[in-house]
Each structure stands twice: as structure tokens, then as C-alpha cells.
Amino acid sequence: QVQLVESGGGLVQAGDSLTLSCAASGRTPDTYYMAWFRQAPGKERVIVAAISRGSRTYYVDSVKGRVTISRDNAKNMAFLQMNSLKPEDTAVYYCAAKPQGFSMVTGYDSWGQGTQVTVSS
């Protein structure tokens, strides 16, 4: 199984930018999707963005234009750059990974411990 460790969360003000990092280790498949999910208080965990090994990407509509997902395959890392942050972006952000297959949105089976992002108004 893949081990994932997130970093980069924190407390920021509305309009600020923040970049989250995720380091993957362990039994990483030859090709695997990496994704970022978030879970706000009292809400379900939802996908924010995903990226394939070949840098094909997916973004949920609510973050399009403000968020960029990227990855460094040589270092087994993924990043989530978030701009123009809003209070509604406040959540615990989780890195996830799964072997590449039909869907890059569902079926993730490896998860990090999460990193808190709090956006004050």
C-alpha cells in the first residue's frame, strides 16, 4: 500500500494563496492517480482535484480557475496550489492515491492523515 504524508496547511486570510504538498512512499504502482480531497466540518469528504501520471487533470467545478494540481513523478510527490482562498475552502485536506484505471474521481484506497486549512474572512 502507498503511504501518503501531507504538509503545507495552515491559517490564512481570504484572498491568500497556499500550496499543499503530498509525499508518497511504499509500494507505489507504476502508474497511479493522485488526488486531493477535502472535508469541511459536518460535511462529507469530497474530491477537489486529481492528476494522472501523465498529468491529465480533473477539477471539481467549485475550484476551477483557483486551484492547480501538479505532481513530480521522480519524487513521488503531488501538490495543490490554491489561490484566492475563501472561507468556504476551510477544511481538512487529504491526499489520496490509487492505481490508474477507469475513473480518476472515485475508488481511492490510500489516504494521508490530512492537513488543516483554515481561511479567515
Side-chain angles (χ1 to χ4, degrees):
Q1 195 172 11
V2 180
Q3 286 79 51
L4 302 168
V5 178
E6 304 98 334
S7 60
L11 173 63
V12 298
Q13 294 185 334
D16 284 353
S17 298
L18 196 65
T19 299
L20 306 181
S21 300
C22 174
S25 62
R27 293 187 174 183
T28 54
D30 290 339
T31 56
Y32 60 102
Y33 294 131
M34 296 188 78
W36 289 93
F37 287 71
R38 68 185 179 187
Q39 187 168 18
K43 296 188 177 181
E44 295 184 351
R45 188 177 303 185
V46 296
I47 192 167
V48 177
I51 187 168
S52 70
R53 181 175 176 83
S55 295
R56 180 167 56 95
T57 57
Y58 165 87
Y59 295 96
V60 68
D61 285 346
S62 60
V63 304
K64 284 181 179 178
R66 299 191 298 120
V67 167
T68 301
I69 189 170
S70 61
R71 65 189 287 172
D72 183 334
N73 292 326
K75 296 182 179 179
N76 285 334
M77 293 192 71
F79 307 93
L80 189 71
Q81 180 180 350
M82 301 184 288
N83 301 318
S84 302
L85 283 162
K86 305 175 182 180
E88 51 263 43
D89 293 317
T90 294
V92 178
Y93 284 71
Y94 297 90
C95 180
K98 59 169 280 188
Q100 287 194 193
F102 178 73
S103 171
M104 65 189 309
V105 177
T106 60
Y108 285 85
D109 55 5
S110 295
W111 296 88
Q113 81 287 351
T115 186
Q116 176 71 46
V117 173
T118 303
V119 185
S120 64
S121 59

